[in-house]
Amino acid sequence: MLHGDISNQRSFIIGVRCEDCLVKFKNKGIKDKFLNFIKGKAHNAEIDSQVLSLMRYVYENTEYTVSLIVDKENYTQELKDMLEDMNIPYNQVGLVITNISEVTMMLNTGELSIYVDSCYNRRALVNSRYAVDVDEFNTMLRRKVRHFK
């Protein structure tokens, strides 16, 4: 016990990418682009059920913190409302202000423990062994759970 604090250790912070991982925007045709212009991007958004299931499990059944990683320009009121309406489980929002190198900085400083993203190019730009895709994180989580039992 240090300085009256019972727990001296922080739990792991799992950062899940919002764009193109949790939320996927449909931009296939002219009609979709026109609807995005008129009604906003959130109108044509779909939630990836595998990522949502992973976030629910981590949020409800583990002691880990779930951080939603979003580009600042994409974090609009529409997206906030959509995440609230879909009842997406997360503890905090980690905004990436300029570029993906800020995620690298968050991993190096301990602000994030693991970064989950389905885009290979973004994970390669982060350049860390703690930047993983959804399947690899599921494998890591299963091993961790089996290890504690």
Side-chain angles (χ1 to χ4, degrees):
M1 189 163 113
L2 181 64
H3 306 295
D5 187 16
I6 294 174
S7 65
N8 291 330
Q9 295 181 354
R10 267 175 61 184
S11 69
F12 289 112
I13 300 175
I14 312 301
V16 178
R17 184 68 179 203
C18 184
E19 301 97 342
D20 303 326
C21 187
L22 174 65
V23 177
K24 297 187 181 188
F25 299 104
K26 294 187 281 185
N27 275 338
K28 295 182 177 138
I30 295 172
K31 182 180 175 186
D32 289 334
K33 289 180 183 179
F34 182 71
L35 284 174
N36 284 349
F37 180 72
I38 299 295
K39 294 186 178 181
K41 285 173 99 176
H43 176 72
N44 274 339
E46 295 178 339
I47 302 291
D48 187 347
S49 61
Q50 183 182 14
V51 178
L52 180 61
S53 173
L54 170 101
M55 288 176 69
R56 278 196 203 288
Y57 179 79
V58 171
Y59 184 81
E60 295 171 357
N61 298 323
T62 67
E63 68 276 1
Y64 305 148
T65 301
V66 179
S67 178
L68 196 62
I69 305 297
V70 185
D71 285 338
K72 186 176 183 180
E73 63 192 27
N74 293 331
Y75 194 57
T76 61
Q77 189 62 40
E78 285 181 292
L79 184 65
K80 292 176 191 176
D81 292 341
M82 186 188 75
L83 293 173
E84 187 177 314
D85 290 343
M86 295 288 203
N87 203 11
I88 306 295
Y90 61 91
N91 299 88
Q92 63 188 15
V93 174
L95 295 176
V96 178
I97 298 169
T98 55
N99 57 20
I100 198 71
S101 65
E102 292 185 28
V103 174
T104 306
M105 182 190 66
M106 287 184 209
L107 284 169
N108 289 340
T109 59
E111 201 173 325
L112 279 179
S113 304
I114 297 173
Y115 172 66
V116 180
D117 193 349
S118 59
C119 178
Y120 175 77
N121 291 333
R122 273 197 302 259
R123 286 194 323 267
L125 287 173
V126 170
N127 194 21
S128 173
R129 69 180 189 165
Y130 299 110
V132 297
D133 65 349
V134 177
D135 294 330
E136 189 175 348
F137 182 69
N138 279 332
T139 304
M140 291 168 66
L141 197 58
R142 274 195 304 259
R143 287 183 183 158
K144 186 84 169 167
V145 169
R146 268 195 238 134
H147 177 65
F148 285 125
K149 287 185 177 181

